[in-house]
Coordinates of all heavy atoms in Angstrom, one line a residue:
M186 N 64.8 72.6 3.3 CA 66.2 72.1 3.5 C 67.2 73.2 3.4 O 68.2 73.2 4.2 CB 66.5 70.9 2.5 CG 65.8 69.6 2.9 SD 66.2 68.3 1.7 CE 67.9 68.1 2.1
E190 N 69.6 74.1 6.5 CA 71.1 74.2 6.4 C 71.6 75.5 6.9 O 72.6 75.6 7.6 CB 71.5 74.0 5.0 CG 73.0 73.9 4.8 CD 73.4 73.4 3.4 OE1 72.5 73.0 2.6 OE2 74.6 73.2 3.2
G220 N 63.5 66.7 6.5 CA 64.7 67.4 6.0 C 65.9 67.0 6.9 O 67.0 66.8 6.3
I221 N 65.7 66.9 8.2 CA 66.8 66.5 9.0 C 67.3 65.1 8.7 O 68.5 64.8 8.6 CB 66.4 66.5 10.5 CG1 66.1 67.9 11.0 CG2 67.4 65.8 11.4 CD1 67.3 68.8 11.0
L222 N 66.4 64.2 8.4 CA 66.8 62.8 8.0 C 67.6 62.8 6.7 O 68.6 62.1 6.5 CB 65.6 61.9 7.9 CG 64.8 61.5 9.2 CD1 63.6 60.7 8.8 CD2 65.8 60.8 10.1
E223 N 67.1 63.6 5.7 CA 67.8 63.7 4.4 C 69.2 64.3 4.6 O 70.2 63.8 4.0 CB 67.0 64.5 3.5 CG 67.5 64.6 2.0 CD 67.5 63.2 1.4 OE1 66.7 62.4 1.7 OE2 68.3 63.0 0.4
M224 N 69.3 65.3 5.4 CA 70.6 65.9 5.6 C 71.6 65.0 6.4 O 72.8 65.0 6.1 CB 70.5 67.3 6.3 CG 69.7 68.3 5.4 SD 69.5 69.9 6.3 CE 71.2 70.5 6.4
M225 N 71.0 64.2 7.3 CA 71.9 63.3 8.0 C 72.3 62.2 7.0 O 73.5 61.7 7.1 CB 71.1 62.7 9.1 CG 71.9 61.7 10.0 SD 70.9 60.9 11.3 CE 69.7 60.0 10.3
K226 N 71.5 61.8 6.1 CA 71.8 60.8 5.1 C 73.0 61.2 4.2 O 73.8 60.4 3.9 CB 70.6 60.5 4.3 CG 70.8 59.4 3.2 CD 69.5 59.2 2.4 CE 69.7 58.2 1.2 NZ 68.5 58.1 0.4
I227 N 73.0 62.5 3.8 CA 74.1 62.9 2.9 C 75.3 63.4 3.7 O 76.2 63.9 3.1 CB 73.6 64.0 2.0 CG1 73.1 65.2 2.8 CG2 72.4 63.5 1.1 CD1 72.6 66.4 1.9
G228 N 75.3 63.3 5.0 CA 76.4 63.6 5.8 C 76.6 65.0 6.3 O 77.7 65.4 6.8
K229 N 75.5 65.8 6.2 CA 75.7 67.2 6.6 C 75.4 67.4 8.1 O 75.8 68.3 8.7 CB 74.7 68.1 5.8 CG 75.1 68.3 4.4 CD 74.1 69.2 3.7 CE 74.5 69.5 2.2 NZ 73.7 70.4 1.6
L230 N 74.7 66.4 8.7 CA 74.3 66.5 10.1 C 74.6 65.2 10.8 O 74.6 64.2 10.2 CB 72.8 66.8 10.3 CG 72.3 68.1 9.6 CD1 70.7 68.2 9.8 CD2 72.9 69.3 10.2
T231 N 74.9 65.4 12.1 CA 75.0 64.2 13.0 C 74.0 64.4 14.1 O 73.7 65.5 14.6 CB 76.4 64.1 13.6 OG1 76.7 65.2 14.3 CG2 77.4 63.8 12.5
I232 N 73.4 63.3 14.6 CA 72.3 63.3 15.6 C 72.7 62.5 16.8 O 73.2 61.3 16.6 CB 71.0 62.8 15.0 CG1 70.6 63.8 13.8 CG2 69.9 62.7 16.0 CD1 69.3 63.3 13.1
T244 N 74.1 68.3 15.2 CA 75.4 69.1 15.0 C 75.6 69.2 13.5 O 75.5 68.2 12.8 CB 76.6 68.3 15.7 OG1 76.3 68.2 17.1 CG2 77.8 69.1 15.5
Y245 N 76.0 70.4 13.1 CA 76.3 70.6 11.7 C 77.8 70.1 11.4 O 78.7 70.5 12.1 CB 76.1 72.1 11.3 CG 76.4 72.4 9.9 CD1 75.5 72.0 8.9 CD2 77.5 73.1 9.5 CE1 75.8 72.3 7.6 CE2 77.8 73.4 8.2 CZ 76.9 73.0 7.2 OH 77.1 73.3 5.9
R246 N 78.0 69.3 10.4 CA 79.3 68.8 10.1 C 80.0 69.7 9.1 O 79.5 70.0 8.1 CB 79.2 67.4 9.5 CG 78.6 66.3 10.5 CD 78.6 65.0 9.9 NE 80.0 64.5 9.6 CZ 80.3 63.4 8.9 NH1 79.3 62.6 8.5 NH2 81.5 63.1 8.6
E247 N 81.2 70.0 9.4 CA 82.1 70.7 8.5 C 83.4 69.9 8.3 O 83.8 69.1 9.1 CB 82.5 72.1 9.1 CG 81.3 73.0 9.3 CD 81.7 74.4 9.9 OE1 82.8 74.5 10.4 OE2 80.9 75.3 9.7
N248 N 84.0 70.2 7.1 CA 85.2 69.5 6.8 C 86.4 70.1 7.6 O 86.2 71.1 8.3 CB 85.5 69.5 5.3 CG 85.5 70.9 4.7 OD1 85.7 71.8 5.4 ND2 85.3 71.0 3.4
K252 N 84.6 74.1 5.9 CA 83.6 74.2 4.9 C 82.8 72.9 4.8 O 83.3 71.8 5.0 CB 84.2 74.5 3.5 CG 84.9 75.9 3.5 CD 85.5 76.1 2.1 CE 86.2 77.5 2.0 NZ 86.7 77.7 0.7
N253 N 81.6 73.1 4.4 CA 80.7 71.9 4.1 C 81.2 71.3 2.9 O 81.8 71.9 2.0 CB 79.3 72.4 3.9 CG 78.3 71.3 3.7 OD1 78.1 70.9 2.6 ND2 77.9 70.7 4.8
E254 N 80.9 70.0 2.7 CA 81.4 69.2 1.6 C 80.9 69.8 0.3 O 81.6 69.8 -0.7 CB 80.9 67.7 1.7 CG 81.6 67.0 2.8 CD 81.1 65.6 3.0 OE1 80.2 65.2 2.1 OE2 81.5 64.9 3.9
N255 N 79.7 70.3 0.2 CA 79.1 70.9 -1.0 C 79.9 72.2 -1.4 O 80.2 72.4 -2.5 CB 77.6 71.2 -0.9 CG 76.8 69.9 -0.9 OD1 77.3 68.8 -1.2 ND2 75.6 70.0 -0.4

Side-chain angles (χ1 to χ4, degrees):
M186 286 183 64
E190 186 167 0
I221 293 295
L222 290 179
E223 185 64 25
M224 294 178 68
M225 181 182 69
K226 178 181 177 182
I227 61 179
K229 289 185 178 181
L230 300 176
T231 57
I232 296 177
T244 304
Y245 182 69
R246 294 184 61 187
E247 293 182 342
N248 56 21
K252 296 181 179 181
N253 182 267
E254 292 179 0
N255 290 345

